[in-house]
Amino acid sequence: NGRWLKLEAYPIFENNKITSFLHKVVNVTKEKKIEELLIDSEKKYHDLVETAQEMIFKCDLEGRLTFINTSWANEHGYTVNEMMNKPFTDFMEPEQAKKDWEVFKKLLLGETIKNFYTYHLTKSGNKLHLLFNAQPLYDGHNKLIGTQGTALNISQQVSQRSTLTETEIKYQSLFNNTSDYIFLIDNNMNVLSVNNSAKNFIGKTKSKITDEA
């Protein structure tokens, strides 16, 4: 009928000899159901962590990685075993590692870190730009045992921003060095900007031209 029973047996002695046993049957259905729920919950948690796109980690008090999910390892280009139990600073340039260690010490003092930018080095030596959220990690007795958190790979966004900046620099160089006279004017005919050739031709600075427009 779907019940779990535990049989307990206790020997009965007479004249230092076992003459019989006392049997006890205990209904442990409730405990087994709780155990099954815990196992199922742990499996779901494990599956969620391992399939998450976010990089998840835990460190001990020395900064050694005590847990990383598959996403963390994949983004770095390593296997999980290659990174486990190694200091997170092993995967960083020395100068950046010093900065991040100071942040790590703040976590050990009980602070929570949100949207902290840093970068690691992948196995191939490329920069892995990351945005971190992290907090202290405590055991069941509220004793500090390390840190834990998540990281998001923002390398693509950083690359796009860098490309945009390079484009802006090229535009400004072209704008200021061309021999053409260029004026930028808004809908109300206000002069927003002029290039060097235009300023030299008119003989006035941009501010004067703007003031008189």
Side-chain angles (χ1 to χ4, degrees):
N1 58 2
R3 291 188 300 171
W4 286 86
L5 303 175
K6 181 172 71 173
L7 176 64
E8 298 178 354
Y10 305 91
I12 297 176
F13 294 88
E14 289 185 10
N15 299 322
N16 294 325
K17 293 183 179 180
I18 298 175
T19 58
S20 61
F21 287 88
L22 174 64
H23 296 281
K24 180 182 178 181
V25 178
V26 182
N27 186 348
V28 294
T29 303
K30 183 177 180 180
E31 289 80 358
K32 290 299 292 184
K33 286 184 177 179
I34 292 175
E35 181 182 335
E36 289 175 349
L37 287 173
L38 285 173
I39 293 174
D40 183 60
S41 178
E42 289 175 357
K43 183 179 182 303
K44 288 179 179 178
Y45 172 77
H46 179 270
D47 291 344
L48 178 63
V49 167
E50 287 304 317
T51 57
Q53 292 185 346
E54 278 190 317
M55 302 160 61
I56 302 174
F57 74 95
K58 292 181 182 179
C59 285
D60 64 12
L61 296 173
E62 303 300 322
R64 293 184 292 260
L65 295 166
T66 57
F67 172 82
I68 56 173
N69 67 343
T70 303
S71 180
W72 180 284
N74 289 344
E75 294 288 3
H76 284 81
Y78 292 91
T79 65
V80 171
N81 289 336
E82 286 176 322
M83 301 190 74
M84 281 291 290
N85 300 314
K86 292 183 179 179
F88 69 86
T89 51
D90 281 7
F91 307 96
M92 308 180 70
E93 292 181 341
E95 286 303 314
Q96 189 63 37
K98 290 179 182 178
K99 297 177 182 178
D100 282 32
W101 188 256
E102 293 302 313
V103 175
F104 179 73
K105 290 194 292 186
K106 291 181 180 180
L107 289 169
L108 297 183
L109 292 175
E111 292 189 28
T112 296
I113 304 297
K114 292 185 177 180
N115 297 323
F116 171 70
Y117 166 76
T118 186
Y119 68 88
H120 288 186
L121 295 178
T122 65
K123 190 173 185 177
S124 60
N126 295 322
K127 286 185 177 181
L128 179 63
H129 299 274
L130 301 169
L131 202 61
F132 270 85
N133 291 326
Q135 62 185 17
L137 176 62
Y138 301 92
D139 64 11
H141 302 287
N142 205 34
K143 179 182 177 182
L144 180 68
I145 58 174
T147 64
Q148 64 180 353
T150 61
L152 189 65
N153 182 356
I154 59 169
S155 297
Q156 183 175 357
Q157 293 90 321
V158 171
S159 176
Q160 290 173 344
R161 185 179 301 174
S162 176
T163 301
L164 180 60
T165 301
E166 291 176 2
T167 302
E168 290 175 345
I169 292 174
K170 291 178 181 178
Y171 164 77
Q172 286 294 334
S173 177
L174 178 63
F175 179 79
N176 286 317
N177 295 320
T178 182
S179 58
D180 295 332
Y181 309 139
I182 302 176
F183 296 80
L184 297 182
I185 302 173
D186 65 16
N187 292 333
N188 296 319
M189 300 305 293
N190 296 313
V191 178
L192 301 178
S193 181
V194 295
N195 71 341
N196 291 334
S197 295
K199 285 188 289 185
N200 292 334
F201 174 74
I202 297 175
K204 296 181 179 180
T205 64
K206 173 194 167 186
S207 59
K208 290 182 179 179
I209 296 173
T210 304
D211 290 340
E212 294 177 7

PDB file of all heavy atoms in Angstrom, residues 175-182 195-202:
ATOM      1  N   PHE A 175      36.987  64.616 -39.407  1.00  0.00           N
ATOM      2  CA  PHE A 175      36.233  65.858 -39.276  1.00  0.00           C
ATOM      3  C   PHE A 175      37.174  67.056 -39.127  1.00  0.00           C
ATOM      4  O   PHE A 175      36.983  68.114 -39.737  1.00  0.00           O
ATOM      5  CB  PHE A 175      35.300  65.749 -38.063  1.00  0.00           C
ATOM      6  CG  PHE A 175      34.482  66.981 -37.796  1.00  0.00           C
ATOM      7  CD1 PHE A 175      33.349  67.260 -38.539  1.00  0.00           C
ATOM      8  CD2 PHE A 175      34.839  67.862 -36.775  1.00  0.00           C
ATOM      9  CE1 PHE A 175      32.583  68.384 -38.281  1.00  0.00           C
ATOM     10  CE2 PHE A 175      34.090  68.990 -36.511  1.00  0.00           C
ATOM     11  CZ  PHE A 175      32.957  69.259 -37.266  1.00  0.00           C
ATOM     12  N   ASN A 176      38.209  66.897 -38.318  1.00  0.00           N
ATOM     13  CA  ASN A 176      39.088  68.020 -38.005  1.00  0.00           C
ATOM     14  C   ASN A 176      40.228  68.206 -39.005  1.00  0.00           C
ATOM     15  O   ASN A 176      40.786  69.300 -39.100  1.00  0.00           O
ATOM     16  CB  ASN A 176      39.672  67.852 -36.598  1.00  0.00           C
ATOM     17  CG  ASN A 176      38.647  68.144 -35.523  1.00  0.00           C
ATOM     18  OD1 ASN A 176      37.895  69.106 -35.623  1.00  0.00           O
ATOM     19  ND2 ASN A 176      38.607  67.303 -34.493  1.00  0.00           N
ATOM     20  N   ASN A 177      40.577  67.161 -39.719  1.00  0.00           N
ATOM     21  CA  ASN A 177      41.746  67.246 -40.598  1.00  0.00           C
ATOM     22  C   ASN A 177      41.410  67.421 -42.076  1.00  0.00           C
ATOM     23  O   ASN A 177      42.304  67.659 -42.892  1.00  0.00           O
ATOM     24  CB  ASN A 177      42.616  65.998 -40.430  1.00  0.00           C
ATOM     25  CG  ASN A 177      43.221  65.909 -39.031  1.00  0.00           C
ATOM     26  OD1 ASN A 177      43.634  66.914 -38.476  1.00  0.00           O
ATOM     27  ND2 ASN A 177      43.264  64.705 -38.476  1.00  0.00           N
ATOM     28  N   THR A 178      40.146  67.300 -42.421  1.00  0.00           N
ATOM     29  CA  THR A 178      39.787  67.507 -43.822  1.00  0.00           C
ATOM     30  C   THR A 178      39.921  68.984 -44.193  1.00  0.00           C
ATOM     31  O   THR A 178      39.775  69.868 -43.346  1.00  0.00           O
ATOM     32  CB  THR A 178      38.344  67.042 -44.094  1.00  0.00           C
ATOM     33  OG1 THR A 178      38.040  67.221 -45.477  1.00  0.00           O
ATOM     34  CG2 THR A 178      37.344  67.816 -43.253  1.00  0.00           C
ATOM     35  N   SER A 179      40.222  69.243 -45.458  1.00  0.00           N
ATOM     36  CA  SER A 179      40.362  70.638 -45.915  1.00  0.00           C
ATOM     37  C   SER A 179      39.007  71.280 -46.196  1.00  0.00           C
ATOM     38  O   SER A 179      38.922  72.494 -46.395  1.00  0.00           O
ATOM     39  CB  SER A 179      41.225  70.681 -47.187  1.00  0.00           C
ATOM     40  OG  SER A 179      40.634  69.882 -48.209  1.00  0.00           O
ATOM     41  N   ASP A 180      37.944  70.468 -46.200  1.00  0.00           N
ATOM     42  CA  ASP A 180      36.598  71.018 -46.409  1.00  0.00           C
ATOM     43  C   ASP A 180      36.149  71.790 -45.170  1.00  0.00           C
ATOM     44  O   ASP A 180      36.595  71.521 -44.053  1.00  0.00           O
ATOM     45  CB  ASP A 180      35.604  69.890 -46.679  1.00  0.00           C
ATOM     46  CG  ASP A 180      35.899  69.162 -47.986  1.00  0.00           C
ATOM     47  OD1 ASP A 180      36.454  69.807 -48.887  1.00  0.00           O
ATOM     48  OD2 ASP A 180      35.601  67.956 -48.072  1.00  0.00           O
ATOM     49  N   TYR A 181      35.258  72.771 -45.398  1.00  0.00           N
ATOM     50  CA  TYR A 181      34.701  73.536 -44.286  1.00  0.00           C
ATOM     51  C   TYR A 181      33.411  72.835 -43.859  1.00  0.00           C
ATOM     52  O   TYR A 181      32.448  72.746 -44.634  1.00  0.00           O
ATOM     53  CB  TYR A 181      34.401  74.974 -44.700  1.00  0.00           C
ATOM     54  CG  TYR A 181      35.579  75.669 -45.372  1.00  0.00           C
ATOM     55  CD1 TYR A 181      35.388  76.492 -46.478  1.00  0.00           C
ATOM     56  CD2 TYR A 181      36.875  75.486 -44.887  1.00  0.00           C
ATOM     57  CE1 TYR A 181      36.460  77.127 -47.084  1.00  0.00           C
ATOM     58  CE2 TYR A 181      37.951  76.109 -45.494  1.00  0.00           C
ATOM     59  CZ  TYR A 181      37.738  76.929 -46.588  1.00  0.00           C
ATOM     60  OH  TYR A 181      38.808  77.547 -47.197  1.00  0.00           O
ATOM     61  N   ILE A 182      33.379  72.375 -42.610  1.00  0.00           N
ATOM     62  CA  ILE A 182      32.217  71.618 -42.133  1.00  0.00           C
ATOM     63  C   ILE A 182      31.591  72.319 -40.939  1.00  0.00           C
ATOM     64  O   ILE A 182      32.267  72.662 -39.972  1.00  0.00           O
ATOM     65  CB  ILE A 182      32.616  70.167 -41.737  1.00  0.00           C
ATOM     66  CG1 ILE A 182      33.250  69.449 -42.938  1.00  0.00           C
ATOM     67  CG2 ILE A 182      31.412  69.406 -41.219  1.00  0.00           C
ATOM     68  CD1 ILE A 182      33.746  68.049 -42.601  1.00  0.00           C
ATOM     69  N   ASN A 195      34.585  72.357 -37.924  1.00  0.00           N
ATOM     70  CA  ASN A 195      35.892  71.699 -37.951  1.00  0.00           C
ATOM     71  C   ASN A 195      37.008  72.749 -38.032  1.00  0.00           C
ATOM     72  O   ASN A 195      36.756  73.952 -38.160  1.00  0.00           O
ATOM     73  CB  ASN A 195      35.972  70.688 -39.086  1.00  0.00           C
ATOM     74  CG  ASN A 195      36.036  71.343 -40.449  1.00  0.00           C
ATOM     75  OD1 ASN A 195      35.672  72.506 -40.600  1.00  0.00           O
ATOM     76  ND2 ASN A 195      36.480  70.590 -41.450  1.00  0.00           N
ATOM     77  N   ASN A 196      38.240  72.280 -37.942  1.00  0.00           N
ATOM     78  CA  ASN A 196      39.383  73.191 -37.908  1.00  0.00           C
ATOM     79  C   ASN A 196      39.497  74.047 -39.165  1.00  0.00           C
ATOM     80  O   ASN A 196      39.839  75.230 -39.101  1.00  0.00           O
ATOM     81  CB  ASN A 196      40.678  72.394 -37.707  1.00  0.00           C
ATOM     82  CG  ASN A 196      40.750  71.779 -36.320  1.00  0.00           C
ATOM     83  OD1 ASN A 196      40.148  72.280 -35.383  1.00  0.00           O
ATOM     84  ND2 ASN A 196      41.490  70.679 -36.200  1.00  0.00           N
ATOM     85  N   SER A 197      39.221  73.444 -40.317  1.00  0.00           N
ATOM     86  CA  SER A 197      39.334  74.207 -41.577  1.00  0.00           C
ATOM     87  C   SER A 197      38.359  75.360 -41.593  1.00  0.00           C
ATOM     88  O   SER A 197      38.702  76.481 -42.011  1.00  0.00           O
ATOM     89  CB  SER A 197      39.070  73.278 -42.767  1.00  0.00           C
ATOM     90  OG  SER A 197      40.072  72.288 -42.870  1.00  0.00           O
ATOM     91  N   ALA A 198      37.135  75.105 -41.101  1.00  0.00           N
ATOM     92  CA  ALA A 198      36.131  76.173 -41.079  1.00  0.00           C
ATOM     93  C   ALA A 198      36.527  77.278 -40.111  1.00  0.00           C
ATOM     94  O   ALA A 198      36.376  78.474 -40.411  1.00  0.00           O
ATOM     95  CB  ALA A 198      34.775  75.581 -40.697  1.00  0.00           C
ATOM     96  N   LYS A 199      37.053  76.901 -38.942  1.00  0.00           N
ATOM     97  CA  LYS A 199      37.470  77.906 -37.964  1.00  0.00           C
ATOM     98  C   LYS A 199      38.619  78.747 -38.503  1.00  0.00           C
ATOM     99  O   LYS A 199      38.644  79.982 -38.346  1.00  0.00           O
ATOM    100  CB  LYS A 199      37.886  77.206 -36.660  1.00  0.00           C
ATOM    101  CG  LYS A 199      36.723  76.703 -35.840  1.00  0.00           C
ATOM    102  CD  LYS A 199      37.146  76.185 -34.478  1.00  0.00           C
ATOM    103  CE  LYS A 199      37.891  74.882 -34.584  1.00  0.00           C
ATOM    104  NZ  LYS A 199      38.191  74.311 -33.249  1.00  0.00           N
ATOM    105  N   ASN A 200      39.569  78.100 -39.162  1.00  0.00           N
ATOM    106  CA  ASN A 200      40.706  78.845 -39.715  1.00  0.00           C
ATOM    107  C   ASN A 200      40.262  79.778 -40.843  1.00  0.00           C
ATOM    108  O   ASN A 200      40.786  80.895 -40.998  1.00  0.00           O
ATOM    109  CB  ASN A 200      41.768  77.872 -40.237  1.00  0.00           C
ATOM    110  CG  ASN A 200      42.430  77.098 -39.102  1.00  0.00           C
ATOM    111  OD1 ASN A 200      42.472  77.566 -37.970  1.00  0.00           O
ATOM    112  ND2 ASN A 200      42.939  75.919 -39.425  1.00  0.00           N
ATOM    113  N   PHE A 201      39.298  79.335 -41.633  1.00  0.00           N
ATOM    114  CA  PHE A 201      38.809  80.149 -42.750  1.00  0.00           C
ATOM    115  C   PHE A 201      38.096  81.393 -42.235  1.00  0.00           C
ATOM    116  O   PHE A 201      38.294  82.503 -42.743  1.00  0.00           O
ATOM    117  CB  PHE A 201      37.860  79.327 -43.614  1.00  0.00           C
ATOM    118  CG  PHE A 201      37.200  80.108 -44.710  1.00  0.00           C
ATOM    119  CD1 PHE A 201      37.919  80.494 -45.838  1.00  0.00           C
ATOM    120  CD2 PHE A 201      35.866  80.470 -44.611  1.00  0.00           C
ATOM    121  CE1 PHE A 201      37.313  81.229 -46.844  1.00  0.00           C
ATOM    122  CE2 PHE A 201      35.262  81.207 -45.619  1.00  0.00           C
ATOM    123  CZ  PHE A 201      35.979  81.575 -46.739  1.00  0.00           C
ATOM    124  N   ILE A 202      37.276  81.205 -41.205  1.00  0.00           N
ATOM    125  CA  ILE A 202      36.516  82.325 -40.662  1.00  0.00           C
ATOM    126  C   ILE A 202      37.388  83.168 -39.731  1.00  0.00           C
ATOM    127  O   ILE A 202      37.186  84.368 -39.572  1.00  0.00           O
ATOM    128  CB  ILE A 202      35.265  81.814 -39.924  1.00  0.00           C
ATOM    129  CG1 ILE A 202      34.342  81.095 -40.914  1.00  0.00           C
ATOM    130  CG2 ILE A 202      34.498  82.935 -39.243  1.00  0.00           C
ATOM    131  CD1 ILE A 202      33.136  80.444 -40.276  1.00  0.00           C
TER     132      ILE A 202
END
